[in-house]
Amino acid sequence: MKIDLTDTTSSKINKALVQARRAIGTPAVGMVLTLVIVTDEENAYDALKAASEASREHPSRKLVVIKRVSRSPRDRAKARLDAEVRVGTDAGTGETVVLRLYGEVIDHAQSVVLPLLLPDAPVVVWWPVNAPLDPAKEPLGALAQRRVTDSYAAEEPVKELVARAAAYTPGDTDLSWARITPWRSMLAAALDQVACDVTAVEVEGEEFNPSCELLAMWLADRLKVPVKRTGSAGPGLTAVRMESSCGPIVLDRADGSLATLSIKGQPDRAVALKRRETAELIAEELRRLDPDEIYASALRFGVHRLSDGGDIAPDKAEATPAKKAPAKKAAAK
């Protein structure tokens, strides 16, 4: 069921939600969170489609905030709120409210959203594009326990990671981090199978893909070894090569779907590493609402330390400064 409201208020939207639920015979709907999607008109359809698919796993109230650009000074001075309420099969699992903000109300989106949040339920804010530099200080972001951005959608993804590290607040996360979850799981499982010391790592992937940098920073941060970032034609991440005291360990994915895990002394194994859709990534992020300390640690490691593949973590650099030069040679092999 759909209800269109023009030049409306948050109070009228809440009444429309109650009316719609009663009309379809479901006055009580079990929803576990409120997902606020802040986007533009161009990306609203894809973002809402992904959120609706993710709602099958996480029934939620989805609030889509679209800030419409006014062309003339007169329009910019006039505040208006239009809404589209969707309940039932039109909203996936849960409820959907599409909010279109015009004029001065654009600068006060939080006052529109706040009365529509589910009581006593977590709030997640997702910016599919054009995320603020400091999500936690943005008025809508301040309402949320989790703030989801996507550095892959930025014009300069690597610089975006630097900005995210500088402004990080517990609760921030990035879909580019969720994209590498299968890689992190597979690499951790591979290292559990061998009793070897890793001495150097190379992460290969397409340019301008921040997931490659995040994976490289995670490996450098956890293993305390030199990590080199190299480019490829893609798609996405294509390979991780680790030099160890037992020989090379390689996870290679050339086609974006099926990867090969090679460990010296063991037969090669084919593993599924398919590139996932946005709906799967959002569903993963909604599974946890506590701060991701591993993401924070990897992000703060620093992209610049991967530039030549030679730098190592601060604690190791301070403890063994004389070994820094040989470590660079090991990373270059």
Side-chain angles (χ1 to χ4, degrees), residues 58 161 163 228 284 332:
H58 309 279
L161 290 179
K228 183 178 181 180
E284 178 183 321

Side-chain angles (χ1 to χ4, degrees), residues 41-60:
E41 200 71 64
E42 179 183 357
N43 295 279
Y45 174 81
D46 290 336
L48 183 53
K49 181 181 178 182
S52 296
E53 291 178 13
S55 71
R56 296 173 186 172
E57 182 178 339
H58 309 279
S60 58

